[in-house]
Amino acid sequence: AQSVTQPDIHITVSEGASLELRCNYSYGATPYLFWYVQSPGQGLQLLLKYFSGDTLVQGIKGFEAEFKRSQSSFNLRKPSVHWSDAAEYFCAVRPYSGGYQKVTFGTGTKLQVIP
Amino acid sequence: GAGVSQSPSNKVTEKGKDVELRCDPISGHTALYWYRQSLGQGLEFLIYFQGNSAPDKSGLPSDRFSAERTGGSVSTLTIQRTQQEDSAVYLCASSLGLAGEQFFGPGTRLTVL
């Protein structure tokens, strides 16, 4: 069974600073990988996804993520954080096979942005 | 509608009562999912509907939980004889087909007193 680990429960960064949120997955092959963001009182919004091809994926709101097979990682990055990025971020994985497969979510990383 | 909607947004109930949570998926989306998000936890898969196929109920935590999807659209998640540990945010998502991106609703926050 696949699993996702987000080792950082809470991260605080200054506005304008760079950001990296860590995600490690466990699965026997290359899965589909996702990053979602959840603002308070809101549902989850997809930031970006990796299916295949270029290992550096660009998403919305200036985010990017890099898939590193050797490290089983899919870390999320942003070069300059804005106060509006304060939210909770979830990494997710789904097996790379046909038909329906369950998406497994990490426990999330809460981002606080200080002025 | 423009997105997935859920109602109510908040529900407070007493232990032992039954509750119904509603999800309206994006029009045309054939797949619908229910998740539970407890404080400090990730999303816990509950149940999945795809078209007219039998739902995948493997994530339902107990027989007090059930869900149905009428006419391939609206879904209702029912929790019978609620317990305090059922307190959580219940999220619904829909997708266009089996492998499509899941679009999430805003959730229903359930509090069991």
Side-chain angles (χ1 to χ4, degrees):
Chain A
Q2 70 266 23
S3 66
V4 179
T5 301
Q6 293 182 249
D8 304 305
I9 297 172
H10 190 273
I11 282 183
T12 300
V13 299
S14 298
E15 191 169 15
S18 63
L19 170 71
E20 183 168 28
L21 302 183
R22 295 183 291 166
C23 172
N24 290 92
Y25 68 90
S26 173
Y27 180 62
T30 301
Y32 291 134
L33 296 159
F34 308 84
W35 274 100
Y36 286 86
V37 60
Q38 185 180 32
S39 298
Q42 303 294 315
L44 276 69
Q45 180 184 21
L46 183 68
L47 284 175
L48 47 79
K49 59 190 175 188
Y50 173 78
F51 284 176
S52 64
D54 193 346
T55 56
L56 185 62
V57 181
Q58 301 297 320
I60 62 171
K61 304 185 180 186
F63 285 91
E64 66 178 26
E66 185 172 12
F67 168 61
K68 292 186 177 179
R69 185 192 308 273
S70 61
Q71 299 177 18
S72 296
S73 69
F74 189 57
N75 293 350
L76 182 71
R77 302 193 295 246
K78 187 169 184 177
S80 177
V81 171
H82 188 262
W83 64 265
S84 61
D85 293 325
E88 191 157 17
Y89 292 79
F90 293 91
C91 183
V93 60
R94 197 184 85 204
Y96 189 86
S97 65
Y100 165 66
Q101 297 290 340
K102 288 177 193 171
V103 177
T104 299
F105 289 84
T107 51
T109 297
K110 190 163 289 189
L111 173 66
Q112 181 181 9
V113 180
I114 55 177
Chain B
V4 178
S5 61
Q6 294 185 246
S7 60
S9 55
N10 279 283
K11 176 72 176 179
V12 180
T13 190
E14 294 179 347
K15 178 181 172 181
K17 295 284 179 69
D18 298 350
V19 296
E20 286 189 350
L21 312 180
R22 177 188 167 105
C23 172
D24 280 271
I26 293 173
S27 178
H29 279 193
T30 57
L32 186 147
Y33 314 78
W34 283 99
Y35 295 90
R36 179 168 68 177
Q37 185 178 25
S38 303
L39 191 63
Q41 303 292 316
L43 273 70
E44 175 189 5
F45 166 80
L46 297 178
I47 189 169
Y48 156 80
F49 296 89
Q50 165 60 23
N52 295 321
S53 302
D56 177 354
K57 304 180 182 180
S58 60
L60 295 178
S62 78
D63 58 8
R64 296 187 294 104
F65 287 72
S66 62
E68 62 177 19
R69 188 178 185 192
T70 54
S73 180
V74 172
S75 177
T76 302
L77 177 69
T78 301
I79 308 174
Q80 296 178 308
R81 306 180 302 281
T82 52
Q83 304 295 311
Q84 288 182 332
E85 61 262 29
D86 299 334
S87 296
V89 175
Y90 290 82
L91 290 166
C92 175
S94 70
S95 67
L96 189 63
L98 292 169
E101 171 191 340
Q102 294 185 25
F103 292 83
F104 284 81
T108 294
R109 181 175 296 279
L110 174 66
T111 303
V112 182
L113 302 177

